[in-house]
Amino acid sequence: ARHVIRRRAAAAALGSMAAHRFWYGMSLVMTAMLYRYYFTDGDAEAGLTHLSGVVATSGVGYFSAALITPWATERMRVETWVTLLLASAGILEFLLCFPFQEWGFLVAGFVLGLAGQSVKICADTVVQREVADAYLGRVFSIYDMLFNGMTVAAAAVTGLFLPADGRSYLALGIVAVGYVAAAVAYLASSDASWVTGQVITLDGVRAEFDQGWGLVRASNTQPAITMRFEATDRERLVEYMNLFKQQLEKHPEIDLTKLNDQIAAFSQPA
């Protein structure tokens, strides 16, 4: 857990995935109750048949995410894409489902399927990129716990106030506000100050950390960027490299191949 906390991007990605699973879980319970009682007058067989339509549109959303997310993340930062997904999921679900008509839930199924799978793809990518190989197994254990546990927790919470037929403007409003709040929190955490100490801009940019430093500046002898890092141990060295990498990725014209190679090399156990 300490390893993840020190890697802001990975921690924020896990948080975004967990937030989606919670609000998705609440939406899932509400939808199941609506199709069981409200839309079909308590006819269980008809409710299951109609609910399969929402499952189908969600599946289309999952598949679409695999096509759209790589295209989107080539044109914007992962942080921007995830923020847009979470905010859009909340706003569109509220607008589509507010009339409590079946067509709205069918379309919302696609929206949440697309948003949820896209957030998961981004979270997987960020965790794989930011977490050292020696910790990946343990971090993905936390990932799985959050993925499943948040959905179960949402079901338990929803059961406390959802009416018998599932029709609840309160639940719909909570989910919408929750998604938007998650988007704001994710954006704030991923863009928060990444330096714990002083930033010196006398010759390039030197960032002082608790137990080391990093420097990036233009080379004096060739058209290239020079980077230097120092830390008390390999784990913190990789952490500081990744922090610089996150900032440099905002400038796609910079080739980060050598930095990525160094991160991969120092991530290996000594």
Side-chain angles (χ1 to χ4, degrees):
R2 290 193 300 270
H3 182 82
V4 175
I5 291 172
R6 287 200 294 266
R7 284 155 174 77
R8 191 186 303 276
L14 287 173
S16 69
M17 179 276 297
H20 162 70
R21 291 301 299 179
F22 186 87
W23 302 120
Y24 180 78
M26 187 172 287
S27 302
L28 189 63
V29 172
M30 179 175 65
T31 302
M33 295 295 287
L34 284 166
Y35 276 89
R36 174 64 176 85
Y37 296 105
Y38 182 73
F39 291 139
T40 57
D41 295 324
D43 187 331
E45 185 174 348
L48 185 61
T49 301
H50 290 203
L51 183 62
S52 64
V54 179
V55 175
T57 58
S58 297
V60 175
Y62 286 137
F63 177 78
S64 300
L67 303 176
I68 295 173
T69 296
W71 176 86
T73 52
E74 286 179 358
R75 290 159 176 79
M76 67 183 77
R77 297 170 56 208
V78 168
E79 293 82 1
T80 304
W81 178 233
V82 171
T83 301
L84 288 174
L85 288 167
L86 292 172
S88 298
I91 294 170
L92 290 176
E93 181 179 5
F94 184 81
L95 294 176
L96 289 166
C97 298
F98 188 82
F100 282 97
Q101 299 291 323
E102 286 194 56
W103 66 265
F105 284 83
L106 290 171
V107 180
F110 172 80
V111 171
L112 293 186
L114 171 63
Q117 188 64 11
S118 295
V119 169
K120 185 180 185 302
I121 291 171
C122 292
D124 290 350
T125 302
V126 172
V127 170
Q128 288 275 6
R129 183 187 66 196
E130 301 296 334
V131 175
D133 290 345
Y135 293 91
L136 269 178
R138 281 170 282 180
V139 171
F140 271 105
S141 295
I142 297 174
Y143 185 109
D144 291 340
M145 180 186 69
L146 290 172
F147 187 88
N148 296 305
M150 294 302 284
T151 306
V152 174
V157 171
T158 307
L160 297 176
F161 65 89
L162 194 69
D165 63 357
R167 187 174 186 268
S168 172
Y169 291 107
L170 175 62
L172 193 60
I174 289 174
V175 170
V177 172
Y179 265 118
V180 173
V184 173
Y186 176 74
L187 183 63
S189 62
S190 60
D191 284 346
S193 177
W194 56 285
V195 180
T196 56
Q198 186 178 12
V199 175
I200 303 169
T201 58
L202 183 62
D203 180 19
V205 177
R206 177 185 171 109
E208 300 283 349
F209 300 101
D210 291 337
Q211 300 187 51
W213 54 268
L215 169 68
V216 58
R217 66 177 180 82
S219 172
N220 293 325
T221 59
Q222 55 184 323
I225 290 177
T226 299
M227 283 178 269
R228 299 282 186 272
F229 299 94
E230 184 176 302
T232 55
D233 55 57
R234 294 169 69 94
E235 183 180 342
R236 285 181 175 79
L237 186 64
V238 172
E239 176 186 350
Y240 300 155
M241 287 180 176
N242 275 316
L243 288 172
F244 268 77
K245 178 184 172 182
Q246 292 168 24
Q247 303 304 311
L248 293 171
E249 282 178 334
K250 299 175 183 179
H251 305 278
E253 68 276 9
I254 298 176
D255 184 1
L256 299 177
T257 302
K258 290 185 178 180
L259 178 59
N260 288 329
D261 291 342
Q262 289 297 309
I263 291 173
F266 280 100
S267 295
Q268 300 299 321

